[in-house]
Amino acid sequence: MEVQAPVVVARAADLLACLGTLGCLTMLAAVVPADLRRAPPVPALRCLAGASLLAGLLAGAVWTLVQAAYFAGAPDLRAALAAVPATLTDTRFGTVMMVRAAFLLTALAMLAWRRERVAAVAAGCACAGQPWLGHPAAVGIAWLPLASALHVVAAGIWIGGLPPLARLVSALPAAAAVRVLRRFSVLAAGCVGVLAVTALVQAVPLVGSPRGLLAGTYGGAVLLKVGLFVAMLGCAAANRLLFTRALAAGRAGARRALGRCIAVEALLGLTALLAAALLAELPAGSMLMG
Amino acid sequence: MTRSRLIAAPVALLLALAVPTAAAFAHAHLKTAVPAPGGTVGAAPTELVINYSEAVEPHFCTVAVTGPDGKRVDTGAVHTAPGNAHELVVPLKPLSPGRYTVDWHATSVDSHKTQGDYTFTVTR
């Protein structure tokens, strides 16, 4: 089976927008302390969350069009547009995309109404629909899509939270930045645990065996994700154990070092998300091994 | 984040992968069919049934069945079996004895497409 580059790109754009939205909303709802809600960078984060939500809706629409073109083998835009209604009404993909769009619209309304916790939950529900758009819900193992949904939500909270974290760390006074970093660190540690466990339980049926890791591009992408995860853990540990302490102690250059380390962590996370979008389009390693 | 946690996650993942398990299939692949691939049937079937490894989207599945004279003998209206989204049913026009070719294109619920072909023979 050939990998469809437009589908991979559309899926990746949708994943980035949705997980970025979840991370930003979770940051607003659960990480920023109540007394910092009016601090200068926080309103900008609300704008970022709103922009991410709109990007998520747009990316979903584009992905639906690209997927309809692929389903129908459409040679041009007109044929692709003609295939959209059937894609939305007659396929699982279409059903899931419409439900996800409803959750994103709910999140947008709740954000405008300053109900950030409800908005974050709605965005989490939108992200949790991802497994029903790929392998996990199709292989006939009941718990697999649930594990995958947890995996996606944890990735969104951790990786999607990094850009707003970098913004807060660069703009808040040192003491406030340290508080935000410590609160985020607790949340991120929980996400790391969820990611490790859910990656493990998904890998067993989807990769199958160590031979599955060596079976072409799928195994390579899995190994890449594991490597990126380990590298991100290294960045997270450096942030928590070195740079946050240095910032708390008022050491010169600590804020810049923290910002750089968070940027590297975010870049690694971005690469992991791109690898995840590619994995979703490839035959599972277990299938290649038979 | 402690050092032991940093090491534990990737090690646990690699250990889990070392445990052999039944293969989980993704994408729709032909498992069985009636008439069977390469098979011979006596009485002419009125429909062709293909069972896939994964649930399929019938709106975006096509199955072309051509007879010995190269003409299509399927009615073009495929549908899934009631209560079984893995099974695609293809109504057929009356078949005469001869060798038939089945060219299938499936779209699975995980949104991927697969294809294949096979033949079967009708003797009477």
Side-chain angles (χ1 to χ4, degrees):
Chain A
M1 191 201 81
E2 286 181 28
V3 173
Q4 299 293 315
V7 177
V8 174
V9 171
R11 183 188 282 272
D14 178 87
L15 192 62
L16 290 179
C18 287
L19 298 197
T21 297
L22 176 59
C24 201
L25 286 171
T26 306
M27 183 66 73
L28 285 167
V31 177
V32 175
D35 58 304
L36 294 179
R37 293 284 163 89
R38 294 183 188 279
V42 177
L45 292 191
R46 288 197 184 92
C47 292
L48 179 63
S52 300
L53 276 165
L54 291 173
L57 286 163
L58 179 64
V62 171
W63 185 12
T64 302
L65 179 64
V66 170
Q67 197 72 48
Y70 171 61
F71 281 161
D76 53 35
L77 182 61
R78 180 176 289 188
L81 286 168
V84 168
T87 299
L88 288 174
T89 58
D90 292 352
T91 67
R92 179 192 283 178
F93 174 88
T95 305
V96 174
M97 289 306 280
M98 286 193 288
V99 171
R100 291 182 64 215
F103 276 120
L104 290 178
L105 286 169
T106 303
L108 194 59
M110 291 297 110
L111 179 66
W113 199 21
R114 296 288 176 95
R115 299 290 189 271
E116 284 143 2
R117 286 185 184 171
V118 182
V121 170
C125 291
C127 291
Q130 195 73 26
W132 281 267
L133 298 166
H135 301 322
V139 297
I141 301 172
W143 52 263
L144 197 59
L146 300 175
S148 182
L150 282 173
H151 190 80
V152 174
V153 169
I157 293 171
W158 181 19
I159 300 171
L162 292 172
L165 180 69
R167 177 83 183 103
L168 288 168
V169 166
S170 69
L172 287 172
V178 168
R179 282 173 63 204
V180 168
L181 280 161
R182 286 182 175 151
R183 287 169 68 98
F184 182 76
S185 179
V186 172
L187 191 64
C191 290
V192 165
V194 171
L195 281 168
V197 170
T198 53
L200 198 148
V201 298
Q202 287 182 88
V204 172
L206 287 176
V207 178
S209 70
R211 284 196 308 150
L213 284 174
L214 306 174
T217 315
Y218 191 89
V222 170
L223 286 175
L224 175 65
K225 275 190 78 184
V226 172
L228 290 166
F229 178 68
V230 173
M232 286 183 72
L233 282 180
C235 288
N239 282 339
R240 183 74 181 89
L241 302 176
L242 298 177
F243 302 130
T244 302
R245 287 180 184 175
L247 185 64
R251 282 186 207 138
R255 191 189 294 267
R256 180 180 288 183
L258 247 174
R260 283 181 183 166
C261 199
I262 293 171
V264 170
E265 192 179 341
L267 198 61
L268 293 168
L270 174 70
T271 313
L273 295 184
L274 295 177
L278 178 63
L279 273 176
E281 293 301 320
L282 293 169
S286 58
M287 189 177 82
L288 294 175
M289 300 310 297
Chain B
M1 184 67 56
T2 63
R3 188 178 294 174
S4 59
R5 273 192 201 166
L6 290 175
I7 296 168
V11 168
L13 178 58
L14 293 174
L15 283 175
L17 292 176
V19 180
T21 180
F25 287 83
H27 306 349
H29 292 271
L30 189 148
K31 281 176 72 181
T32 59
V34 180
T40 299
V41 292
T46 56
E47 63 182 24
L48 176 80
V49 180
I50 301 178
N51 195 275
Y52 290 103
S53 57
E54 190 179 304
V56 293
E57 304 284 10
H59 190 98
F60 292 108
C61 292
T62 59
V63 180
V65 185
T66 50
D69 55 0
K71 288 183 179 169
R72 293 275 294 266
V73 295
D74 59 280
T75 64
V78 301
H79 59 89
T80 49
N84 187 357
H86 291 239
E87 207 164 84
L88 200 64
V89 180
V90 187
L92 300 173
K93 296 171 186 171
L95 304 188
S96 50
R99 193 174 187 220
Y100 291 83
T101 303
V102 179
D103 183 17
W104 61 266
H105 294 251
T107 300
S108 55
V109 293
D110 69 0
S111 71
H112 297 109
K113 288 161 74 169
T114 47
Q115 65 185 71
D117 59 78
Y118 69 91
T119 61
F120 68 90
T121 303
V122 176
T123 54
R124 60 183 167 84

